[in-house]
Structures are given as C-alpha cells and as structure tokens.
Amino acid sequence: IASAVTKATSTVTPNVSSRIGGHDANTLLQAGGDISVGSTLAASSEATATGGSVAGGLSVSVGATNATASIGPASETTPMVSTSITGGKLKSRTGGINATTVYNNDSSGKVTNGKGAIANAYAAAGGAIATSGATASASNTPTLKTFVDSDVELSAATTIAVTGNATVVAQATAAGQAGGAIGVGKSTASATAN
C-alpha cells in the first residue's frame, strides 16, 4: 500500500485604512490646492499542492492533494480596505477633495496590483488498484469602504469625489491521474470572487 497526501494553504487577511478627521465639529482644516486621502491594497494569495504515490505488484496506491488560497477580511465587521473623512470642516480653496479606496486596481502606479487568489492541486497514483483526487479552492472576497461622516462639512472650488474600485480575481485548477488495473480519479475545483 502506498499513500501520499499533500496540503497547501495560503490565507491573507489584510487591514489597510486611512482617514482625515478625529477633531471636533468646529475645527476647520483647509488647503490652497487639492486635498486627497486614500487607501490602496494590492493582495495575492497562492497555494499549489502536488502529490503522487506509486505501489508495485498487486498493491493499492492512493494519492490526494488539497490546495486552498483565500483573501478576505479578518472579521465580517472590519473592512479590508477603508478610507474616511470624519469630524469637522474640510475646505479646499482652489482645488478639490478626493477620498478613494482601491483594491488590486491601482491605475496611478503606486503599487503593482495583486493577482488575487490562485489555487492549484495536482494528484497522481499508480498501482494494481489506484485512486487519486485533487481539490483546489480559491476565494477572493474583499470588503472596501469609502465614506464621509454625516456631520462633516466639505467645501471645494472644484470637485468632491468619494470613490472605491476593485478588481477581484479567483482561479482554481485541479487535475489528477490514476493508473493501474483499476484506476479511479476525481478532481474538484471551485473559485469564488465577490
């Protein structure tokens, strides 16, 4: 009897935040040009599992691999990436006010965008009786939040923009081979991106 089990797991739970605020409602912050606050996150999670087993003669061989890659918030109540303007008054005398949150979609060149969640599992088994199975699971479920508190007063000569954008990718690949007088193989791949 020959057996091989391989598991690979990669879990990413980042927390990035930025804000302007934290002062009382009567405080005025002002600038002559643009006022910007933003959070940018580039995240990748990759897991690859490869395994195989071979048994000689009249024997049994079993091969199994599991690969799991995930990106998500540490808790359901905390966003992975957030940007906010809180408290007081904010004024741009000659420019605009921008609050933005970005996940794996930075077009400004600040960061190299992440690849998302990628899981690859490959299993092989060979013998008189052989069974193999590969399971790959990729999950990319980011949470983004961009907001201005309701008690904040914004004033700008040009535009006021509150934005968020994301590119969410999840890829899963599973493959297996079973060879012998009796060979059974099953591979399962699932990917979730939302």
Side-chain angles (χ1 to χ4, degrees):
I1 296 176
S3 175
V5 176
T6 307
K7 294 183 180 183
T9 302
S10 174
T11 303
V12 178
T13 56
N15 185 327
V16 177
S17 65
S18 59
R19 76 179 174 121
I20 294 176
H23 45 274
D24 67 55
N26 295 318
T27 301
L28 172 64
L29 298 177
Q30 59 181 329
D34 289 333
I35 299 172
S36 296
V37 60
S39 297
T40 301
L41 173 63
S44 298
S45 177
E46 297 183 52
T48 299
T50 303
S53 66
V54 177
L58 298 173
S59 56
V60 176
S61 177
V62 178
T65 61
N66 294 302
T68 303
S70 64
I71 302 173
S75 74
E76 290 184 18
T77 58
T78 304
M80 283 178 25
V81 193
S82 65
T83 303
S84 60
I85 300 174
T86 61
K89 301 172 185 177
L90 189 60
K91 180 178 182 177
S92 172
R93 292 186 304 272
T94 61
I97 298 174
N98 300 297
T100 186
T101 303
V102 177
Y103 173 70
N104 281 349
N105 192 7
D106 178 36
S107 60
S108 69
K110 292 178 195 167
V111 299
T112 299
N113 292 317
K115 297 177 185 176
I118 301 168
N120 300 298
Y122 306 99
I129 300 173
T131 180
S132 73
T135 302
S137 175
S139 173
N140 191 356
T141 55
T143 53
L144 283 74
K145 187 174 186 179
T146 309
F147 67 95
V148 176
D149 275 352
S150 60
D151 63 344
V152 172
E153 183 180 312
L154 299 178
S155 174
T158 60
T159 60
I160 296 173
V162 179
T163 61
N165 62 65
T167 297
V168 183
V169 176
Q171 299 172 355
T173 303
Q177 295 179 338
I182 300 173
V184 178
K186 179 182 178 185
S187 298
T188 305
S190 66
T192 303
N194 62 15

